[in-house]
Amino acid sequence: MEKPLIFITNDDGFQAKGLEALIEVAMEFGRIVVVAPEVAQSGMSHAITISSPLYLRKVKDEPGLEVYACSGTPVDCVKMAFDSIMQERPVLALSGINHGSNSAVSVIYSGTMGAASECSFYNIPAIGFSLLNPGDDADFTVAKEYASRIIDKVLNTDDITIPMCLNVNIPDLPKEDIKGVRLCRQNKGYWREEFERRTEPRGREYYWLTGIFLNQEETATDTDEHALNNGYVSIVPMQVDMTDYNQLDQMHGWEF
Amino acid sequence: MEKPLIFITNDDGFQAKGLEALIEVAMEFGRIVVVAPEVAQSGMSHAITISSPLYLRKVKDEPGLEVYACSGTPVDCVKMAFDSIMQERPVLALSGINHGSNSAVSVIYSGTMGAASECSFYNIPAIGFSLLNPGDDADFTVAKEYASRIIDKVLNTDDITIPMCLNVNIPDLPKEDIKGVRLCRQNKGYWREEFERRTEPRGREYYWLTGIFLNQEETATDTDEHALNNGYVSIVPMQVDMTDYNQLDQMHGWEF
């Protein structure tokens, strides 16, 4: 029997080490189609390319593994894959493994999770993986093991409601220091920036964005931040209904 | 007494007609600081600029109105405004008026609403406005009137819970055909793409993204899509906890 098709993308670009790690894991479970950005697209959120055209090239074609590089954003990659490239519906979509955390409110800035949630719109389970190490040369050995376990679980359970999108973050710890896997909710909090102002050799000023996370619920024990800070792999199921239902209730009766 | 400070941004760029319309409305209520993108940034979602520096220039400085153009995304503009430019805390943040709809799931692709929700992280009320006309020369006369009414309401009610972020969409209709304002939830549905493939004069292929909205709840009457299709201005309060609490319940007991 032919192995099932699995789709993979990321936001660090088609040459990233984390993508390579995820491909290795996923090839245990199926045939792979990758559509990933030409260049790193960290922080691209759910962005799409409207005002310029997209370019696509096939960079690898081996038995069980096709890799395409796309000039657009991570979400563009997903759209091209599902609406143009793949003639067969995959059973699972994966994004990552991201070089760096996507816990708490970072999920809304994340290209990795923007792409994962876009995949879930095609009514297959989608999982985004992130390792809490932003380095280009991060060690994905432990992350791969947890990715494999979670993929195995999702592929082999009947207990799934579609759409499903899981945001998985993995501590950057030795295997023996990881305490397990926790299902969590998204931690509340925001990023504040300290813009670093510099001057070009020719005199023009420019700024680098450098953020600090303000945790708004330090004491909560059911959040992804808490799990990660205590040595657990965190899994937050996510969805895209942004409606603030509490506010909607409170505004009931407003007149304009 | 000095008029209160209001912050404005958008995703169509600092020279857009919709921004000009929103500035005119907001100047009735306060002093204005604008930080808007140098160039159009439609579809930029909640993207931030991590891998390149940001540039900023003041393009207007009049009594009651300062305008800055920023090289980054709409969310970068918000972060620069709040964390670097403004020495005083504004009472209200506005985004738009966008040239084109941001109803239903479009909210997650929208630079206008990415910026509005980022503003709400600074614990002031934030409102994003969109007119259902994507044209550069759209007529904002009617949109301005509704924007004015909604701003007036938000500034003059005590019945607000912070954070608040309102996604306001305005039909592109003559004033007499607009039936009123409705509080709604976000309509469920997805965009599917029909990539238009073209060939460069030199032979290289490229693609344009052209989407179609698939409404997953045609018969619902409490959604923004329904309101807009029936001639109402829609207001959806939004928030950024993406946790899928139903899925979280269902996954309870999963082991890895």
Side-chain angles (χ1 to χ4, degrees):
Chain A
M1 202 182 81
E2 200 178 39
K3 289 165 92 179
L5 185 65
I6 296 175
F7 171 69
I8 305 183
T9 189
N10 79 341
D11 76 350
D12 291 313
F14 80 98
Q15 298 188 89
K17 193 176 171 189
L19 176 66
E20 197 180 314
L22 190 53
I23 291 170
E24 283 168 20
V25 171
M27 285 186 81
E28 299 165 23
F29 297 95
R31 293 168 294 130
I32 312 298
V33 170
V34 176
V35 185
E38 280 280 359
V39 295
Q41 298 266 352
S42 289
M44 281 306 274
S45 183
H46 217 106
I48 51 174
T49 303
I50 293 173
S51 309
S52 59
L54 295 170
Y55 293 86
L56 186 76
R57 63 191 182 101
K58 188 183 267 195
V59 294
K60 192 176 281 188
D61 194 352
E62 297 172 357
L65 176 61
E66 278 176 53
V67 181
Y68 298 83
C70 171
S71 63
T73 66
V75 170
D76 290 333
C77 292
V78 173
K79 287 176 172 288
M80 287 217 83
F82 282 82
D83 288 339
S84 179
I85 297 169
M86 292 190 290
Q87 301 302 312
E88 178 189 343
R89 184 191 172 80
V91 297
L92 180 68
L94 307 174
S95 182
I97 301 172
N98 190 59
H99 295 240
S101 170
N102 280 315
S103 63
V105 77
S106 297
V107 71
I108 68 163
Y109 302 96
S110 164
T112 303
M113 292 313 302
S117 75
E118 184 71 27
C119 289
S120 75
F121 299 174
Y122 291 88
N123 294 324
I124 56 169
I127 316 174
F129 294 99
S130 304
L131 173 66
L132 273 62
N133 181 338
D136 286 344
D137 61 349
D139 182 348
F140 287 92
T141 313
V142 178
K144 282 170 68 177
E145 190 177 320
Y146 280 94
S148 180
R149 281 200 220 173
I150 292 166
I151 291 168
D152 188 52
K153 178 73 185 179
V154 169
L155 283 177
N156 294 302
T157 182
D158 294 328
D159 192 20
I160 281 183
T161 305
I162 296 296
M164 163 187 264
C165 181
L166 304 182
N167 180 17
V168 178
N169 281 274
I170 302 161
D172 187 33
L173 294 173
K175 187 178 170 182
E176 59 274 18
D177 292 343
I178 294 191
K179 295 193 187 129
V181 177
R182 276 206 184 152
L183 294 167
C184 312
R185 65 178 173 84
Q186 178 186 320
N187 196 105
K188 290 184 177 36
Y190 302 121
W191 288 85
R192 290 291 183 263
E193 309 306 323
E194 294 185 353
F195 286 95
E196 206 178 303
R197 189 194 296 213
R198 298 188 185 178
T199 307
E200 286 183 353
R202 291 179 185 219
R204 190 177 171 207
E205 285 188 336
Y206 63 97
Y207 300 81
W208 287 101
L209 192 153
T210 61
I212 292 168
F213 180 65
L214 297 186
N215 188 337
Q216 292 188 305
E217 36 182 6
E218 296 271 6
T219 57
T221 58
D222 59 344
T223 69
D224 52 358
E225 278 301 297
H226 180 84
L228 293 162
N229 290 337
N230 287 277
Y232 290 87
V233 172
S234 68
I235 303 182
V236 178
M238 65 172 281
Q239 52 83 49
V240 295
D241 180 357
M242 311 284 280
T243 310
D244 184 340
Y245 288 97
N246 292 329
Q247 193 81 261
L248 193 54
D249 279 349
Q250 182 162 350
M251 290 174 70
H252 183 75
W254 277 32
E255 280 172 22
F256 298 92
Chain B
M1 204 181 81
E2 201 177 38
K3 288 165 93 180
L5 184 66
I6 297 175
F7 171 68
I8 304 182
T9 189
N10 78 343
D11 76 350
D12 291 313
F14 80 97
Q15 298 187 89
K17 194 176 170 188
L19 177 65
E20 195 180 317
L22 190 52
I23 291 170
E24 283 168 20
V25 171
M27 285 187 80
E28 298 165 23
F29 297 94
R31 293 169 295 132
I32 312 298
V33 169
V34 176
V35 184
E38 280 280 359
V39 294
Q41 298 267 352
S42 289
M44 281 306 274
S45 184
H46 217 105
I48 50 174
T49 302
I50 293 173
S51 309
S52 60
L54 295 170
Y55 292 86
L56 186 76
R57 63 191 181 102
K58 189 182 265 194
V59 293
K60 193 176 279 187
D61 193 351
E62 297 172 357
L65 175 62
E66 278 176 51
V67 181
Y68 299 83
C70 169
S71 62
T73 67
V75 170
D76 290 333
C77 292
V78 173
K79 286 175 173 289
M80 287 218 82
F82 281 82
D83 288 338
S84 181
I85 297 170
M86 292 190 291
Q87 301 302 313
E88 177 188 343
R89 183 192 173 81
V91 297
L92 180 69
L94 307 173
S95 182
I97 300 173
N98 190 59
H99 295 239
S101 170
N102 280 315
S103 63
V105 78
S106 296
V107 72
I108 69 161
Y109 302 96
S110 164
T112 303
M113 291 314 301
S117 74
E118 184 71 27
C119 289
S120 75
F121 298 175
Y122 291 88
N123 294 323
I124 55 168
I127 315 173
F129 294 98
S130 304
L131 174 66
L132 273 61
N133 181 338
D136 287 343
D137 60 348
D139 182 348
F140 287 92
T141 313
V142 178
K144 282 171 66 177
E145 189 176 320
Y146 280 94
S148 179
R149 279 201 221 174
I150 292 166
I151 292 169
D152 188 52
K153 179 72 185 178
V154 169
L155 284 177
N156 294 301
T157 181
D158 294 328
D159 193 19
I160 281 183
T161 305
I162 295 298
M164 162 186 264
C165 180
L166 304 182
N167 180 17
V168 178
N169 281 274
I170 303 160
D172 187 33
L173 294 172
K175 186 176 170 181
E176 58 275 19
D177 292 344
I178 295 192
K179 294 192 188 130
V181 178
R182 276 205 186 155
L183 293 167
C184 311
R185 65 178 174 85
Q186 179 185 320
N187 196 105
K188 289 183 176 37
Y190 302 122
W191 288 86
R192 290 290 182 263
E193 309 307 322
E194 295 185 352
F195 286 93
E196 208 178 302
R197 189 195 296 214
R198 297 188 185 178
T199 306
E200 286 183 354
R202 291 176 185 220
R204 190 177 172 207
E205 284 188 336
Y206 61 98
Y207 300 81
W208 287 103
L209 193 154
T210 61
I212 293 168
F213 180 64
L214 297 186
N215 188 337
Q216 292 189 305
E217 37 182 2
E218 297 270 7
T219 57
T221 58
D222 58 345
T223 70
D224 50 359
E225 278 300 297
H226 181 85
L228 293 163
N229 290 337
N230 287 277
Y232 290 87
V233 173
S234 68
I235 303 184
V236 178
M238 65 173 280
Q239 52 83 48
V240 295
D241 180 357
M242 313 283 280
T243 310
D244 184 340
Y245 288 98
N246 293 329
Q247 194 81 260
L248 193 54
D249 278 349
Q250 182 163 350
M251 291 174 70
H252 183 75
W254 277 34
E255 279 172 21
F256 297 92

